[in-house]
Amino acid sequence: IATPGGGAVLACQSTIGSAPAPAPAPASPTRRVLASISSTKSVGLSDPGRLFVPWDLASGDTSGFWNSSIPSKLTVPVGSGITKVRLVGQLSWQSVPAPQKCVLYATIFKNHLWYHDSLPSQSMYIVTTNTPSINMSSPILDVSEGDYFELVAWQNCTASLNLVSNSAGPTWFSMEE
């Protein structure tokens, strides 16, 4: 385009809003597992009085996170390329017998070790008879293939207590990429 003074002007036409947006990249399928118990599990008072919860069932295990021969572990499969996971779990206890003062505790161990600064822990001080549940969730965690996680229950009441598996308060543990 020429101007009255003889100079040239570059003309541009905007296509903002007129071109179709590119299609979003297909979402990668979430790889996950939900482990649960199908029957009660006793959490005794023996020293150290903790139970690495052995899972009976695994649903939605899209990548081989759970192995029934090592039932307490959810493992990042070797060869999966998974580098980040999130963990969520719930412990549901039977009714605490007779009013008493005790602590119910849950934590997540990584590679059979407690990392108090990066993995969730939750405790509940019981002063009356009730049927408590403890829920917890981790932040997104950096992992390596072969790392494994365990949900650990502990209690110091005057008698052994059971973790329960019922519709009112199931006990479960999940890992997802």
Side-chain angles (χ1 to χ4, degrees):
I1 300 175
T3 61
V9 173
L10 178 60
C12 296
Q13 180 179 4
S14 172
T15 59
I16 296 175
S18 62
S28 63
T30 300
R31 294 183 276 187
R32 62 178 160 255
V33 64
L34 173 63
S36 60
I37 61 174
S38 60
S39 60
T40 60
K41 306 291 181 199
S42 180
V43 181
L45 292 170
S46 63
D47 189 16
R50 65 182 177 208
L51 173 70
F52 290 81
V53 180
W55 308 105
D56 301 319
L57 307 168
S59 60
D61 191 356
T62 57
S63 296
F65 291 109
W66 183 73
N67 181 332
S68 62
S69 66
I70 45 173
S72 67
K73 300 176 182 179
L74 296 184
T75 304
V76 178
V78 173
S80 66
I82 295 173
T83 60
K84 297 186 182 301
V85 298
R86 183 171 64 103
L87 306 163
V88 183
Q90 174 173 291
L91 295 178
S92 294
W93 301 83
Q94 73 180 34
S95 296
V96 176
Q100 60 180 299
K101 294 180 181 177
C102 60
V103 176
L104 305 177
Y105 184 76
T107 192
I108 296 174
F109 276 43
K110 178 181 180 184
N111 299 329
H112 210 69
L113 299 172
W114 181 47
Y115 290 86
H116 67 280
D117 57 343
S118 61
L119 292 173
S121 293
Q122 182 80 324
S123 61
M124 179 182 287
Y125 186 65
I126 304 297
V127 294
T128 187
T129 303
N130 66 8
T131 306
S133 290
I134 297 175
N135 299 74
M136 64 181 64
S137 177
S138 76
I140 302 298
L141 301 170
D142 292 323
V143 295
S144 298
E145 294 176 354
D147 283 345
Y148 63 90
F149 298 89
E150 298 166 288
L151 185 56
V152 182
W154 178 86
Q155 60 95 6
N156 71 351
C157 298
T158 58
S160 293
L161 295 179
N162 289 327
L163 294 173
V164 296
S165 123
N166 59 45
S167 60
T171 293
W172 54 270
F173 188 33
S174 72
M175 176 191 289
E176 68 181 60
E177 178 185 28

